[in-house]
Amino acid sequence: MRFGIKTRPEHTTWEQMRDVWVAADDIALFDSAWNWDHFYPLTGEETGPNFEGWTMLAAMAQATRRIRIGCQVAGMIYRHPAVLANMAATIDIISQGRLDIGVGAGWNQQECDAYGIELPPLRERFDQFDEGVQVIIGLLSQPTTTFEGKHFRLTEARCEPKPVQRPHPPIVIGGRGPKRTLRAVARWAQQWNAITQNADQWRELKETLLVRCAEVGRKPEEIVCSVNVRIDPEKGIGPAVEEVASYREAGADLAIMNLPHRAEPGMLEPLAEALAALA
């Protein structure tokens, strides 16, 4: 099993987050580090600070040297996919080929209302998401992309320079929807990420993903299956490691450890030691 970390860019400072990612970069057990794509905090005082995820990734690409980096996950509603593709190509070059492109349909009504961003009904939102993923893949992998969709239209569009990773950086699709989300995973993703209540719920979703892969003729082993595991600051590392073990038994390939808010770099070595037996 592989391991990553996730830090929440809310109610914190740039220096605190950077120091944790740099520390993870020095620990071989951790192979990826993640933030999120929100503009308002999701916990605590909603008027507090929350850093923008993708500009932060560009800075983290310079601050680290080994660990893979990604946003978990970018809401397709927030940026035109052609703009996101150009951002991703640039960050992949800055990181020398260490970017994972996390994408999802988007869901946060509060942010959309505040910023005047349209949050379409669920079916339309997933139609838009499906088109957006295809636009991103086309721009990152092809010399030019022409796309005629309901939501996005491109005419001989270019994205230069191309990313380091070919044909494109891995697409990570986050979500639990058994129909639209898992079908999109089967069609386009190199990694699927889900936040679930327990390993049994995750296992059921994984079985559904296998069905979706069969429907589109995709080999399931081509998709890394990842799960998020939260470390409760009140309970400590032990219960989280036990939860990881249950996900490992269920077949998860990658456990992303959601660190406590304002975690200090010093907690990473004990965490790595506790997880090592499951690697």
Side-chain angles (χ1 to χ4, degrees):
M1 195 177 203
R2 294 157 46 200
F3 301 98
I5 64 161
K6 182 176 179 179
T7 54
R8 292 149 44 190
E10 60 173 2
H11 305 298
T12 188
T13 67
W14 155 245
E15 290 81 8
Q16 284 177 311
M17 285 198 61
R18 178 202 60 204
D19 291 350
V20 171
W21 284 42
V22 169
D25 193 43
D26 288 333
I27 299 174
L29 184 84
F30 299 118
D31 71 1
S32 59
W34 306 79
N35 61 11
W36 70 29
D37 187 32
H38 291 286
F39 307 114
Y40 278 32
L42 297 186
T43 64
E45 180 54 56
E46 67 180 32
T47 61
N50 184 88
F51 288 102
E52 197 282 320
W54 278 83
T55 47
M56 175 177 282
L57 286 185
M60 290 299 193
Q62 283 281 279
T64 58
R65 56 178 174 75
R66 177 194 61 84
I67 203 166
R68 298 191 63 81
I69 59 176
C71 185
Q72 201 184 63
V73 289
M76 195 66 74
I77 56 173
Y78 293 141
R79 305 167 191 84
H80 192 289
V83 174
L84 185 57
N86 277 269
M87 293 163 54
T90 297
I91 293 173
D92 196 54
I93 291 168
I94 294 171
S95 68
Q96 298 181 316
R98 293 185 285 121
L99 176 68
D100 290 328
I101 303 176
V103 286
W107 58 270
N108 194 300
Q109 188 74 57
Q110 179 191 36
E111 295 172 337
C112 290
D113 289 347
Y115 288 169
I117 298 171
E118 182 181 1
L119 184 65
L122 198 58
R123 176 176 292 182
E124 182 180 348
R125 202 183 317 161
F126 275 99
D127 290 343
Q128 179 178 320
F129 173 74
D130 286 351
E131 289 186 14
V133 173
Q134 294 174 77
V135 166
I136 291 169
I137 291 174
L139 286 169
L140 294 178
S141 60
Q142 303 298 325
T144 63
T145 297
T146 296
F147 185 88
E148 185 67 27
K150 180 180 179 181
H151 302 279
F152 304 114
R153 296 173 180 84
L154 280 69
T155 304
E156 296 184 4
R158 297 181 181 274
C159 176
E160 297 295 343
K162 289 289 187 280
V164 173
Q165 299 178 89
R166 305 301 291 153
H168 55 77
I171 301 295
V172 182
I173 293 179
R176 298 179 299 181
K179 295 181 179 180
R180 297 298 300 270
T181 299
L182 293 184
R183 183 175 293 117
V185 171
R187 293 177 69 185
W188 299 301
Q190 284 70 58
Q191 184 185 141
W192 164 55
N193 178 261
I195 300 174
T196 55
Q197 295 180 348
N198 53 55
D200 289 337
Q201 184 185 54
W202 187 88
R203 185 184 285 107
E204 290 178 6
L205 290 171
K206 174 65 182 295
E207 291 298 320
T208 302
L209 177 59
L210 296 179
V211 173
R212 299 289 171 259
C213 286
E215 291 171 349
V216 301
R218 181 82 182 276
K219 295 180 180 179
E221 58 267 24
E222 296 176 355
I223 302 170
V224 173
C225 294
S226 65
V227 65
N228 285 28
V229 176
R230 177 176 173 266
I231 300 175
D232 188 327
E234 300 295 327
K235 298 179 181 179
I237 291 173
V241 174
E242 293 177 5
E243 188 175 355
V244 169
S246 68
Y247 281 111
R248 181 176 182 267
E249 184 177 347
D253 304 304
L254 169 63
I256 298 172
M257 310 305 295
N258 288 218
L259 303 183
H261 195 215
R262 298 193 185 93
E264 295 292 334
M267 81 164 296
L268 293 181
E269 283 286 1
L271 177 60
E273 292 174 2
L275 292 170
L278 300 174

